[in-house]
Amino acid sequence: MVKLWSLPRSSDDGIKVSDSVPAINESCPAICLSRMLMNGNILPPMSSQPWSYGNHNPMVSPGSSSSTFQNRKRRSDEGNNVYDIKRQRFHTPQLSSPAIHQSVPLRDELRRSFPGSIALPLLQSPAPEINGCASSSRDSWLFDHVELTLPIAKEKLSQQILDLFQACQQQISDLKKKDVCRAELQREIQQIFPQSRLYLVGSSLNGFGTRSSDADLCLVMKEEPVNQKTEARHILSLLQKHFYTRLSYIERPQLIRAKVPIVKFRDKVSGVEFDLNVNNVVGIRNTFLLRTYAHMENRVRPLVLVVKKWASHHGINDASRGTLSSYSLVLMVLHYLQTRPEPILPSLQKIYPDCFNPTMQLHLVHQAPRNVPQYFSKNGASLGELLVGFLKYFAIEFEWGKRTVSVREGKAMARTDGIEWRNKYICVEEPFDRTNTARAVHEKQKFDLIQEEFLKAWVRLRDNRDLNSVLPVQRIIGMQKR
């Protein structure tokens, strides 16, 4: 058996809660907490050094001459993030005058639990030593390198895919930078919500990250579900205002009111873009499911990476613009590998239902798949053959209007008449909560574009077997070396 990672132990990053702080009545609704928290300053002003952790901005209004965000020039690497306003709206905090300080809570009212929250022995990731930040070696599992020999390339296209993968795959150093920011933010957030825990999820941990990948964070308040339209949005609003006014290393915090609301921001120290959600715990579950798939067969990660790069280059890898999310693309690749006449991947949820039980307690999620063995497929198709086959499958074989992509079942399922699937152009089932991860594709024009790109890429690669015909390989690799 191949051990994919070792068992971590939980820790609370040294945050202690004062015993003298009175408890909140658990029957008090979230709105009561919000009124209590909106009473002034969180920390006294401190002198700050830009681009480093642990430094805070004085509480200032955007209209103040000392505001970090007042009249500053846009950095050349910021770009213009345009989002589909039909799907989500940005909210920039409107702050009151510096004398009132109503945007964040007072220090002696900070250390409170969100009503109904409990201490969670969830997965804790360490804070490695970067830029003077101390680390804990006890939980070094997060940065363990998984030994998985890359496949041998026997023809040009497969070698191009491997070259791209080796240049673009996320490095341990990239992951450490993300986790340093996570640890710093957890300390800040626990000043407000002491029982909360902040977790790195998504591509940063699931094995499918690239050097340029954004990072996803999940703030877990309690085991029970959180109402995303009310509770989660309210918590994120508080955190956005705190990030905006108090943390010098956080840039452009924006509240995005999507189905699962997030605060989107950039960490100046690492240069990484982050998306922070509240209690979207399905992200923790699917992180470890995908991590298991990523490391159980050596063709999976290179194939996923080249598909994501291709889709991004051709403008069909952006859910905020009505096309496919990276998560949907990963599920589509896994589904394709499961549905070959000789499967390259099994359905883990069917073979190991106890390891990937959607009702499993969160603190056990990371433990269950530790001993899932490496999978040995009799299918010897090369990476090049698999890429061409993947494009062909979704270009001309898959019945978009009748079928649903299901990694959970390991097959294309007939569509049901549920609201998640009715009148949708593309249906990709989330393996745990069974929602449609491709629901962003809600315009026929975008669906037609996606189909067109799959068809064009398949025809080009079928005819010339050269990755450069669909992707500027050397330019992408060169960008990674800068």
Side-chain angles (χ1 to χ4, degrees):
M1 288 189 178
V2 176
K3 190 172 183 180
L4 300 183
W5 54 82
S6 56
L7 175 63
R9 297 188 180 187
S10 62
S11 66
D12 65 1
D13 284 335
I15 304 296
K16 296 182 179 180
V17 182
S18 172
D19 294 331
S20 63
V21 177
I24 296 175
N25 188 331
E26 291 189 358
S27 64
C28 178
I31 191 65
C32 295
L33 179 66
S34 69
R35 291 172 180 170
M36 179 187 69
L37 291 177
M38 303 285 280
N39 283 324
N41 206 347
I42 184 170
L43 290 171
M46 299 173 61
S47 60
S48 63
Q49 294 180 346
W51 324 119
S52 61
Y53 295 119
N55 298 316
H56 303 79
N57 286 328
M59 179 73 75
V60 291
S61 165
S64 169
S65 60
S66 60
S67 173
T68 303
F69 296 89
Q70 176 69 13
N71 297 325
R72 71 172 177 84
K73 294 182 179 179
R74 179 174 292 277
R75 289 168 54 93
S76 61
D77 60 346
E78 287 179 15
N80 294 312
N81 292 331
V82 181
Y83 289 84
D84 186 344
I85 60 175
K86 294 182 180 179
R87 298 186 58 249
Q88 52 196 20
R89 291 176 287 128
F90 289 111
H91 171 69
T92 300
Q94 300 297 319
L95 303 180
S96 56
S97 65
I100 300 176
H101 304 337
Q102 291 183 340
S103 58
V104 288
L106 285 167
R107 187 173 183 81
D108 60 355
E109 293 177 336
L110 295 181
R111 297 172 178 267
R112 316 278 183 163
S113 299
F114 192 80
S117 67
I118 58 173
L120 297 174
L122 286 174
L123 165 67
Q124 289 291 312
S125 48
E129 185 171 1
I130 296 181
N131 296 332
C133 298
S135 68
S136 169
S137 60
R138 180 177 62 178
D139 295 325
S140 61
W141 70 273
L142 179 62
F143 309 109
D144 286 347
H145 178 66
V146 179
E147 293 294 341
L148 199 63
T149 305
L150 291 176
I152 297 174
K154 296 182 179 179
E155 89 289 345
K156 178 181 178 180
L157 180 55
S158 293
Q159 187 60 56
Q160 290 174 320
I161 295 171
L162 283 178
D163 290 344
L164 186 69
F165 173 71
Q166 290 178 302
C168 299
Q169 66 174 319
Q170 179 179 258
Q171 304 296 312
I172 295 297
S173 59
D174 302 323
L175 179 56
K176 286 183 177 180
K177 289 177 182 178
K178 294 175 181 179
D179 196 62
V180 167
C181 184
R182 179 212 62 82
E184 291 295 331
L185 285 175
Q186 174 164 282
R187 292 185 183 98
E188 284 292 332
I189 293 171
Q190 285 181 332
Q191 295 286 325
I192 304 173
F193 302 112
Q195 300 300 329
S196 66
R197 294 292 183 270
L198 188 62
Y199 302 102
L200 198 57
V201 296
S203 63
S204 297
L205 275 187
N206 66 23
F208 296 117
T210 66
R211 302 219 67 183
S212 58
S213 292
D214 295 349
D216 296 309
L217 295 170
C218 179
L219 179 65
V220 178
M221 306 293 294
K222 54 185 179 179
E223 289 271 4
E224 297 77 20
V226 164
N227 186 305
Q228 292 294 321
K229 287 186 178 180
T230 56
E231 290 179 282
R233 188 178 294 181
H234 170 66
I235 294 166
L236 289 172
S237 179
L238 290 175
L239 295 179
Q240 179 212 14
K241 292 170 184 176
H242 180 52
F243 292 174
Y244 187 86
T245 57
R246 302 302 301 163
L247 303 184
S248 63
Y249 58 89
I250 296 299
E251 187 173 35
R252 306 194 310 268
Q254 297 169 308
L255 176 61
I256 301 177
R257 302 184 182 188
K259 181 176 181 180
V260 176
I262 62 172
V263 168
K264 194 176 189 71
F265 60 91
R266 178 178 180 270
D267 169 32
K268 294 179 182 178
V269 180
S270 65
V272 174
E273 298 276 353
F274 284 84
D275 291 346
L276 169 63
N277 70 69
V278 172
N279 258 71
N280 188 32
V281 296
V282 69
I284 298 176
R285 300 186 190 280
N286 65 46
T287 291
F288 288 95
L289 174 66
L290 266 58
R291 183 180 173 101
T292 310
Y293 277 120
H295 296 297
M296 72 185 310
E297 220 287 339
N298 65 2
R299 288 168 287 184
V300 178
R301 295 173 66 215
L303 185 60
V304 166
L305 186 142
V306 71
V307 167
K308 288 169 63 176
K309 289 293 184 182
W310 161 77
S312 179
H313 180 70
H314 290 277
I316 60 171
N317 178 205
D318 190 343
S320 69
R321 296 177 183 268
T323 58
L324 294 165
S325 66
S326 293
Y327 183 39
S328 292
L329 286 167
V330 173
L331 292 176
M332 289 166 68
V333 173
L334 297 180
H335 164 80
Y336 168 73
L337 296 176
Q338 289 174 327
T339 55
R340 299 306 82 218
E342 185 61 56
I344 291 176
L345 288 177
S347 168
L348 288 174
Q349 288 164 288
K350 291 182 74 173
I351 298 177
Y352 306 103
D354 293 337
C355 292
F356 302 99
N357 188 327
T359 64
M360 181 183 294
Q361 292 184 348
L362 288 177
H363 69 278
L364 301 175
V365 169
H366 67 281
Q367 300 179 25
R370 287 185 303 146
N371 295 317
V372 172
Q374 189 173 354
Y375 185 75
F376 296 98
S377 171
K378 296 178 182 179
N379 188 325
S382 69
L383 281 171
E385 291 169 336
L386 291 174
L387 177 59
V388 175
F390 168 80
L391 295 169
K392 178 183 179 182
Y393 178 72
F394 286 107
I396 64 173
E397 296 176 359
F398 187 79
E399 297 179 288
W400 295 100
K402 298 179 180 180
R403 299 290 176 179
T404 296
V405 170
S406 177
V407 169
R408 176 180 59 89
E409 289 291 333
K411 64 182 181 181
M413 296 187 353
R415 281 205 196 188
T416 64
D417 196 39
I419 192 171
E420 282 286 341
W421 319 108
R422 191 184 311 140
N423 301 321
K424 299 297 190 298
Y425 291 105
I426 298 178
C427 294
V428 179
E429 182 193 57
E430 207 293 319
F432 289 100
D433 66 19
R434 306 188 189 184
T435 56
N436 184 9
T437 69
R439 59 183 174 270
V441 186
H442 54 80
E443 296 178 2
K444 188 175 187 306
Q445 179 185 2
K446 297 299 176 67
F447 173 61
D448 290 343
L449 172 64
I450 292 168
Q451 282 191 306
E452 179 185 356
E453 292 300 338
F454 269 95
L455 183 61
K456 287 194 303 184
W458 168 55
V459 171
R460 288 176 182 173
L461 286 181
R462 178 197 65 186
D463 293 344
N464 60 37
R465 300 282 170 153
D466 184 351
L467 192 57
N468 287 294
S469 65
V470 298
L471 199 60
V473 179
Q474 293 306 314
R475 179 163 65 86
I476 294 173
I477 291 176
M479 291 174 63
Q480 303 303 315
K481 296 179 179 179
R482 293 176 184 175

